[in-house]
Amino acid sequence: MKSRKTTIQSFLFFTVTAAIIAYFFPREGKFPYQFHEGKPWRYDLLTAPGDFPIYKSDQEIKAEKDSIRTRFEPYFRLKEDVSKTVLENLKNDYLSQHTMSTPLWQYLNRQIQQLYNQGIVAAPELEKMISENRTRVNVLKKNVAVGRNVSDLYSPKTAYENIIQNAPKPMDKDELWSSNFEQYLEPNLTYDAETSDKVLNKRLHDVSLSIGMVQAGERIVDRGEVVDAETYNILRSLKIIHETKSGGSHRYGTIWAGQLVLIFGILLCCALYFISFRPEIFFRRNNNIFIQLCILVPCLLSETCLKYDLFNIYILPFAIVPIVVRTFFDSHTALFTHLITVLLCSLIAPFPHEFLMLQTIAGIVFIVSLKELTQRSQLIRCAFFISLAYVLCYLGLTLYQEGDLNKINWQMMLFFGISFILLMFSYVLIYMLEKLFGFVSPITLVELSNINTPLLKKLSETCPGTFQHSLQVSILASAAGAKIGADTQLIRTGALYHDIGKMTNPAFFTENQHKQADPHLKLSYEESAQIIISHVTEGIKMAEKAMLPRAIIHFIQTHHGRGKTKYFYNSYKNAYPDRPIDEAKFTYPGPNPFSKETAILMMADSIEAASRSLNEYTDEHIETLVHKIIDSQINDGLLRNAPLTFKDIDVVKATFTDKLKTMYHTRISYPELK
């Protein structure tokens, strides 16, 4: 029985998930009808429940406001003191300095006064108006606006050019250029941003949001009628009115309470399922958090997508949920988690029944098409089948409901195609989740079991005997694991790496000694035992350095459990029967096996090693050896923590016996050619 603290903590994870989903749920009351433009109305006669306006669409309002901005006439303020000051300076310069002739002064005075009457604007502001295709501006003179054409305005540069071009022919051009008259051309019209923004914002604010009214009791649409553009706009307006009223303070609390009841109820059912059928997921923190994230993330994405109208909900690849869950757990857990997720999302999805059907069928197709993910090609094939299921299911539903091929929304095929592409990223997502939660996927196990990986290649070169032993153990252990429903790929990979620590001192292990002298002869029993035991600790160090998954390191830690180095322990006891013995020097650090897979490996490791010492490989000798080794491990308490039944152990014994008989079968002698 799990501790009370663990149970409370596990339920807390589900409660937090439910609270987050409920917090981001839309608060407005859900409109009771689903409708699309160009599709038949599927409900009974609908009449207006009261007077309500027909709202313009967002596109219509935007187009109207854009038109106002385009036709807007900006405001410029006239600085009368500029022209007075400039003309006064021109007159003073003429009278005091005599730098220009009288005809020139008269010409400049007349031209500059005329230009200031037209209006001189700073060059950047004039260029901006021309680029924006402005034709008119408002000139403020003592808070009175007068309209002027942009074509009548000048910049200092165009004013200068105008004076040059309009000069009478008898006038001395050199004198005109040398008079530096450009100093008298200053802008007298400045852009009034405050007034312009104020007037523009008022006009934008005054844009009407509606284009008419629907009277109470007025007929809107009846069953079977096609929803045209006008009817669609009326229905959309009614939906806005309904959701706005439903979101009022007097109903907000009731809606929120209903959401909480639904969400907490669904997740409570999910928690009860895991308690009853998958307690190892519910009561393990990492597993529990992983499942909560698989439920939470799609729900939040769906809520965000629909709340802000980002894109169609069918673009979201909901089938990624069962893919990643099945990669690390079983098919039933994957399908159940997927159903809980889409059930929560259907509460806010448009056309919830159709959404739930499509996603449920997609989940079932996944479970059937992908029993185990070990290759990239399997993922592509599975994603293709899921997308095909979406397409066929959608076409079937549309034809069933509408009875017309012309009613098929072919844009949905694009959404399913984007979802198919996004499903391809599940391979990357699986890798990220592995690192985040410390899981190990079948893909990783297949990659690690490749004997050309650096660690296994080094093992085969440094310790060829140990490498052959590991291969034989992997065959024995995976065969037994398959018989009792254990993870055979995990066992096979763990078996290949369980003895990598022997690479530190390969010559001290009999399978690597060949014909050289036994180095243990020069050591005491305690020293020899410590060297043998060290292959476990050294193997853990090598595995951690190579960043092997924790699940593989468990095989290195547990393949001897808390057992003893029987050869040196018994030799010491026989040689020194009267001496006290330090048990710790002859005991492996452990821990004992705690899963089916690690327990099977311990048994297979001991039996494969002991089988090499048999004098005769008869059926009786092999069967006796298997029973003796496994019974000894049971009596020593090494398998106490392993979740194996007596029936499982009998099946494992029988499998080991059959496999060893096959490995050591006798061969016929070939006759010599005479």
Side-chain angles (χ1 to χ4, degrees), residues 81-219:
D81 56 330
V82 172
S83 59
K84 291 180 181 179
T85 304
V86 168
L87 292 172
E88 189 67 31
N89 290 339
L90 176 63
K91 182 178 180 180
N92 291 337
D93 291 345
Y94 165 69
L95 295 175
S96 62
Q97 300 179 13
H98 300 288
T99 56
M100 61 182 76
S101 64
T102 301
L104 176 59
W105 173 76
Q106 291 175 343
Y107 171 72
L108 290 177
N109 187 66
R110 184 174 62 256
Q111 286 292 317
I112 291 174
Q113 191 170 8
Q114 183 180 351
L115 290 170
Y116 275 123
N117 289 336
Q118 290 292 110
I120 300 178
V121 185
E125 293 175 352
L126 184 60
E127 291 172 0
K128 181 181 178 183
M129 286 189 290
I130 294 173
S131 66
E132 293 176 351
N133 296 321
R134 306 282 182 190
T135 58
R136 298 275 294 175
V137 296
N138 289 303
V139 176
L140 289 169
K141 183 178 180 181
K142 295 180 180 179
N143 294 327
V144 177
V146 179
R148 290 191 186 177
N149 294 325
V150 174
S151 59
D152 294 336
L153 302 179
Y154 294 89
S155 67
K157 180 182 178 181
T158 57
Y160 176 86
E161 293 171 349
N162 182 270
I163 291 174
I164 296 295
Q165 291 173 0
N166 293 333
K169 291 184 178 180
M171 184 170 290
D172 187 353
K173 297 290 185 180
D174 293 334
E175 183 185 6
L176 180 61
W177 287 328
S178 63
S179 64
N180 296 323
F181 68 88
E182 64 270 13
Q183 62 181 312
Y184 306 110
L185 301 176
E186 296 180 14
N188 68 330
L189 293 180
T190 57
Y191 177 66
D192 191 338
E194 182 180 355
T195 303
S196 298
D197 291 343
K198 183 178 179 181
V199 174
L200 177 60
N201 290 333
K202 185 178 184 306
R203 292 182 184 177
L204 294 175
H205 183 266
D206 291 341
V207 172
S208 175
L209 301 180
S210 62
I211 53 175
M213 290 287 294
V214 176
Q215 304 299 321
E218 185 177 337
R219 181 183 183 280

